Amino acid sequence: MSGYTEAASGLVFHELSHEWGHGAPSLPGFDDVVMYRSVKHGQHGVMAHRMRMVMHSGTHLNSPLHMIQQGIGVGDIAMERLFGNGVVLDIPKGQWELVTAADLDAFSDRVNEGDLVVIVTGWHRKYSDSLEYFGDGPGLSIEAAEWLVAKNVGLVAVDTPQVDHPLATSLGPHRGGPLMNRLVAKYQDGTGKDPKVEHPVWNGAHKVLLSAGIPTIENVGGDVDDMLGKTALMHALPWNWKEGDACPVRLVAITDPNGNYRIDAGAAA
């Protein structure tokens, strides 16, 4: 079991984010993260970085504003949606498969109102700058998103680069796409199906979640395999940026081997 154990409380902190920085895989159509040291130790005895980036890089949180006009930004998301009870659902999926409402039905008694729900398909193991990771992955069906809205969950996180099936995004034949030029033909050859018929709605699942005020996290990773099927206290606080459509986030699961799951008052000063 991975994780860092805090000596005083015995709480164990588990990393659920991919490592971020220069060279982090970027969604096709997005610029890479660019950073450099504008001030260096060898020159000034201190270091300061500058960077240019798309906020949708690495493990990141999307606010309703990302897809919903006049939706709230990351800085206005209620704290209880970003810190609280969480559950990690193990729903293995392969190339171009969908997470369905029927898949989620198996966890109906595990998912409660307000929960931070992490859906793990296994795709995080392929995280890389590759055609496979971005173009061949699974995604949530619209019905699965509606199931999560009906449960009134607090947040939905996925271990894929996008909430929706890749052929339901601009990577495929939607809104300025395909951003992956070979994806449509590859899908047609591999499945014998027309992506416009199979996935006619652009980012349908993502819009269902965000329009309900449910923020999302994409590219979950880190040590998430160690948390499969478990519940934990989840921490996913983004920047206090009211106009933010998204920002990188460090997703952490906190477990208590003693089963207490409470935050102590601490010693008096």
Side-chain angles (χ1 to χ4, degrees):
M1 173 64 71
S2 63
Y4 164 75
T5 301
E6 200 277 318
S9 66
L11 296 176
V12 184
F13 294 75
H14 307 268
E15 178 69 73
L16 304 187
S17 310
H18 287 295
E19 185 176 340
W20 184 90
H22 176 74
S26 58
L27 193 73
F30 288 175
D31 291 337
D32 279 338
V33 173
V34 176
M35 63 173 63
Y36 64 93
R37 296 169 298 162
S38 59
V39 180
K40 297 171 283 189
H41 281 298
Q43 184 177 7
H44 300 289
V46 64
M47 184 186 295
H49 274 83
R50 295 193 181 204
M51 68 180 72
R52 185 177 69 248
M53 59 176 289
V54 174
M55 289 295 171
H56 303 263
S57 66
T59 306
H60 65 278
L61 182 142
N62 303 293
S63 72
L65 182 60
H66 175 40
M67 290 191 173
I68 308 302
Q69 291 188 40
Q70 298 183 341
I72 61 172
V74 294
D76 279 328
I77 297 172
M79 287 283 189
E80 58 266 27
R81 289 190 179 274
L82 305 167
F83 182 84
N85 295 326
V87 58
V88 182
L89 308 182
D90 184 14
I91 307 178
K93 293 292 175 179
Q95 182 188 42
W96 294 323
E97 292 184 334
L98 283 170
V99 174
T100 66
D103 292 323
L104 294 172
D105 280 340
F107 302 96
S108 186
D109 61 341
R110 299 279 313 280
V111 178
N112 299 303
E113 181 175 349
D115 278 354
L116 284 68
V117 179
V118 181
I119 296 173
V120 181
T121 67
W123 211 250
H124 63 282
R125 303 179 194 117
K126 299 178 183 291
Y127 182 68
S128 61
D129 176 24
S130 66
L131 295 170
E132 181 184 26
Y133 179 68
F134 288 106
D136 292 5
L140 267 62
S141 69
I142 292 175
E143 293 74 20
E146 291 171 340
W147 189 99
L148 292 159
V149 170
K151 280 284 190 177
N152 196 23
V153 301
L155 177 147
V156 174
V158 295
D159 69 338
T160 53
Q162 56 272 319
V163 167
D164 282 86
H165 191 285
L167 272 302
T169 73
S170 296
L171 297 179
H174 285 280
R175 291 203 178 189
L179 295 177
M180 297 184 71
N181 293 328
R182 289 171 280 183
L183 181 57
V184 172
K186 182 178 180 181
Y187 179 81
Q188 291 171 327
D189 292 343
T191 66
K193 298 176 181 179
D194 183 346
K196 293 182 180 179
V197 173
E198 298 298 317
H199 307 283
V201 181
W202 177 75
N203 279 305
H206 210 174
K207 288 191 291 184
V208 165
L209 293 169
L210 295 180
S211 65
I214 299 173
T216 60
I217 294 177
E218 294 165 323
N219 294 315
V220 169
D223 299 318
V224 72
D225 279 333
D226 291 338
M227 294 300 299
L228 295 178
K230 299 179 180 179
T231 57
L233 183 65
M234 297 283 183
H235 178 289
L237 300 182
W239 302 347
N240 188 10
W241 179 28
K242 294 183 182 297
E243 298 84 11
D245 57 294
C247 77
V249 68
R250 192 163 191 181
L251 179 61
V252 176
I254 307 170
T255 58
D256 185 355
N258 296 320
N260 294 322
Y261 284 97
R262 66 187 184 91
I263 299 174
D264 292 325

